[in-house]
């Protein structure tokens, strides 16, 4: 069982910064890619940023130039640095992992529980 634990959310004023982290725990698996998504009540979950096992990153247009994703492979942890935050960034942010199990090579996806980010005007 792979578990993801997110941290770093909170309340910040517009223009401020937050850093989210997401640590994956468990054994017998490898990670292909990790990502951050966000969701506002009543709206679909939105992909924010992704990073592959080769450290190739991709960002949604709404956060490009303001957010940075990176990973620490030794710690199985992915981070999201969020700068120049605006009230439109307010959402629950979810960490996502795609990987495969060593024993079976079966691919799987796991989600964190979400962390609230609130940006005040």
């Amino acid at each position: 069982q792979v578990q993801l634990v997110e941290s770093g959310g909170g309340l910040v004023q517009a223009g401020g910064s937050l850093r989210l982290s997401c640590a994956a725990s468990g054994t017998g698996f490898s990670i292909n890619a990790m990502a951050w998504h966000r969701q506002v009540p009543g709206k679909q979950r939105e992909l924010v940023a992704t990073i592959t096992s080769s450290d190739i990153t991709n960002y949604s247009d709404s956060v490009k130039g303001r957010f940075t994703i990176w990973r620490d492979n030794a710690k199985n942890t992915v981070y999201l640095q969020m700068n120049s935050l605006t009230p439109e960034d307010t959402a629950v942010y979810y960490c996502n992992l795609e990987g495969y199990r060593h024993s079976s090579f079966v691919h799987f996806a796991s989600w964190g529980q979400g962390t609230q980010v609130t940006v005040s005007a």
Side-chain angles (χ1 to χ4, degrees):
Q1 184 81 5
V2 177
Q3 290 188 325
L4 300 177
V5 178
E6 299 135 336
S7 60
L11 173 65
V12 65
Q13 288 188 330
S17 298
L18 282 175
R19 179 179 295 181
L20 306 181
S21 63
C22 172
S25 63
T27 60
F29 70 97
S30 289
I31 300 172
N32 288 332
M34 298 186 80
W36 288 96
H37 301 246
R38 65 187 182 187
Q39 189 168 24
V40 175
K43 293 189 176 181
Q44 282 192 332
R45 192 168 292 188
E46 172 193 15
L47 178 62
V48 174
T50 63
I51 184 166
T52 71
S53 57
S54 303
D55 286 336
I56 296 172
T57 59
N58 199 14
Y59 300 90
S60 68
D61 288 341
S62 61
V63 307
K64 199 172 295 183
R66 300 187 298 121
F67 291 11
T68 302
I69 186 172
W70 75 98
R71 58 194 283 180
D72 183 334
N73 292 328
K75 296 181 179 179
N76 280 344
T77 299
V78 64
Y79 303 91
L80 186 69
Q81 178 68 39
M82 305 184 293
N83 298 329
S84 302
L85 286 162
T86 73
E88 288 68 38
D89 295 315
T90 296
V92 177
Y93 284 70
Y94 296 91
C95 175
N96 165 251
L97 175 156
E98 294 184 358
Y100 65 91
R101 304 193 186 283
H102 295 161
S103 61
S104 62
F105 295 100
V106 171
H107 287 249
F108 68 92
S110 291
W111 289 87
Q113 80 286 356
T115 184
Q116 177 70 46
V117 171
T118 303
V119 185
S120 62

